[in-house]
Amino acid sequence: MIQTLDLRGTRPTRAELGALIPRARVDVAVASEAAHALIEEVRERGSAALLDQSERFDRVRPARLRVGADEIAAAVEALDPAVRAALEEAIVRVRRASAAQVPAPAVTELGPGARVEQRWQPVRRAGFYVPGGKAVYPSSVVMNVVPAQVAGVASVVLASPPQAQFGGSVHPTILAAAGLLGVDDVFAMGGAGAIGAFAYGVPDAGLEAVDMVTGPGNVFVAAAKRLVRGVVGIDAEAGPTEILVIADGTADPALVAADLLSQAEHDELAAAILVTDAPQLAEAVVAELERQLAATTHRDRAGAALDAPQSALVLVDDLAAAAEFSNLYGPEHLELQTADPDAVLADITDAGAIFVGPFSPVSLGDYLAGSNHVLPTGGQARFSSGLGAATFLRPQQVVRYEREALREVADRIRAFSDAEELPAHGDAVVARFE
């Protein structure tokens, strides 16, 4: 069962604490060589390479890469009413929350006739990757597509691995989610090859290259996104899911255990961490984990994740130390289950998404909170953010100076250009007044 890391009575330095933090043993660089080869195959051989890769990795060869509009419409028609209602509600909530992320245009007046306009331009075309391994993720369709639509992206395309049980097509629930959002450009392709197809296009399949690639995936997808960064924009190199719960003695151990299990069931590399200043809570959570694990559907992979090096119960002296540990870890999902969660929240700086109180579980964020569930993992929350409308927007500054406004700063521009030994810069300004 889950390991215990006892930090009570110690004051490790930041470097020492960083070395103690449990992490999944995933190295994106190890997959880079294989991902590069798969991308190059797609660049050289187009559709044929993608079909061969599907047969090799997904154990099925699609009849065609592009999914027909009739198939998408049929998937929407056949969608379970309860699932459709859930998807439609998620779309509404994510759309509303994403709209709040779009900055308003602004104008800065620096003087008479001198102004800088700030505007936000969407990328022209975006590609969304939706995984298709151990689970089905229609929610990821919503989380990728809706913010792009809110941002004003005019052209979108979606890719998901072909499924053997559906004749080599994309899972019908994925297709239905795409259909509900009006996405009709869908391809049955997966892995690093799909990322390469997004970045460079596949003319013989009718797939035009995109400007931005988003969405989670396995280590090969993460490696491929790293390789194409610069050719296209990417959101982040999403890795195995993570949950970190900060809890004190007032927390309900059954709820804490349930939330840890909710993420551990994703796969064997999922990270589940409890940080607490209450040893009695940690003991109760262990007992609850054992009880709930025996009854959960995916007990084998959840148990493997809990027993792995990336999962732990961390004992600390106080909640300030818990916040310090969490900030250094930079969790994808952070839950605060304490008597005064806002006091802890004041010390939190680094997390993908934060869930406050016992009635805000990570599962809520996965589906219907309105927040986005495509979040940074592997400590990337220390320097990057989750997917949102801003992911698809580029800030642009529009400069408008009139003659007298330029004359006012002409001498200073000359001083700069001479100091930098770039006299033609100053000459370009002087020329306007000769």
Side-chain angles (χ1 to χ4, degrees), residues 13 23 34 118 124 128 136 152 165 169 195 251 255 304-305 307 399 426 431:
T13 65
R23 293 279 188 199
Q118 179 71 64
R124 183 188 62 86
F128 313 121
V136 184
Q165 69 182 109
S169 185
I195 303 302
L255 298 184
D307 195 41
V399 179

Side-chain angles (χ1 to χ4, degrees), residues 68-345:
D70 56 340
E71 192 174 345
I72 297 173
V76 172
E77 185 66 26
L79 187 61
D80 180 283
V83 177
R84 177 168 184 156
L87 280 166
E88 289 174 339
E89 181 66 22
I91 290 167
V92 169
R93 289 172 178 246
V94 175
R95 197 177 299 281
R96 288 182 61 188
S98 297
Q101 298 174 324
V102 179
V107 177
T108 304
E109 298 282 354
L110 297 163
R115 65 193 300 181
V116 176
E117 301 170 8
Q118 179 71 64
R119 69 177 188 176
W120 299 83
Q121 289 291 101
V123 298
R124 183 188 62 86
R125 180 166 165 82
F128 313 121
Y129 187 81
V130 179
K134 294 176 179 176
V136 184
Y137 295 102
S139 57
S140 285
V141 179
V142 176
M143 301 295 174
N144 279 276
V145 175
V146 170
Q149 291 177 333
V150 168
V153 178
S155 176
V156 300
V157 56
L158 186 146
S160 191
Q163 304 293 309
Q165 69 182 109
F166 298 107
S169 185
V170 172
H171 195 288
T173 311
I174 300 295
L175 293 180
L180 289 174
L181 287 160
V183 177
D184 56 10
D185 206 6
V186 180
F187 286 79
M189 58 185 187
I195 303 302
F198 277 156
Y200 297 102
V202 185
D204 67 346
L207 174 57
E208 180 189 354
V210 304
D211 303 304
M212 172 70 67
V213 176
T214 70
N218 62 19
V219 66
F220 295 97
V221 169
K225 289 170 76 173
R226 179 181 293 184
L227 290 168
V228 301
R229 184 199 295 262
V231 177
V232 294
I234 67 169
D235 53 345
E237 299 171 12
T241 190
E242 305 161 349
I243 179 173
L244 188 150
V245 180
I246 294 179
D248 61 15
T250 67
D252 184 334
L255 298 184
V256 173
D259 292 351
L260 295 174
L261 273 176
S262 74
Q263 299 307 298
E265 75 169 345
H266 273 281
D267 63 54
E268 293 82 357
L269 293 174
I273 298 175
L274 167 64
V275 185
T276 182
D277 61 350
Q280 70 278 12
L281 174 72
E283 293 175 6
V285 168
V286 170
E288 279 294 329
L289 282 173
E290 292 175 345
R291 183 183 68 80
Q292 295 181 31
L293 182 63
T296 195
T297 300
H298 302 297
R299 65 182 65 87
D300 290 340
R301 63 176 180 246
L306 292 172
D307 195 41
Q310 72 269 11
S311 297
L313 304 180
V314 183
L315 300 178
V316 293
D317 288 318
D318 50 44
L319 294 179
E324 181 182 3
F325 182 96
S326 178
N327 286 333
L328 191 54
Y329 184 91
E332 177 188 19
H333 307 103
L334 171 61
E335 286 189 2
L336 304 179
Q337 297 196 35
T338 62
D340 187 359
D342 286 328
V344 181
L345 182 61

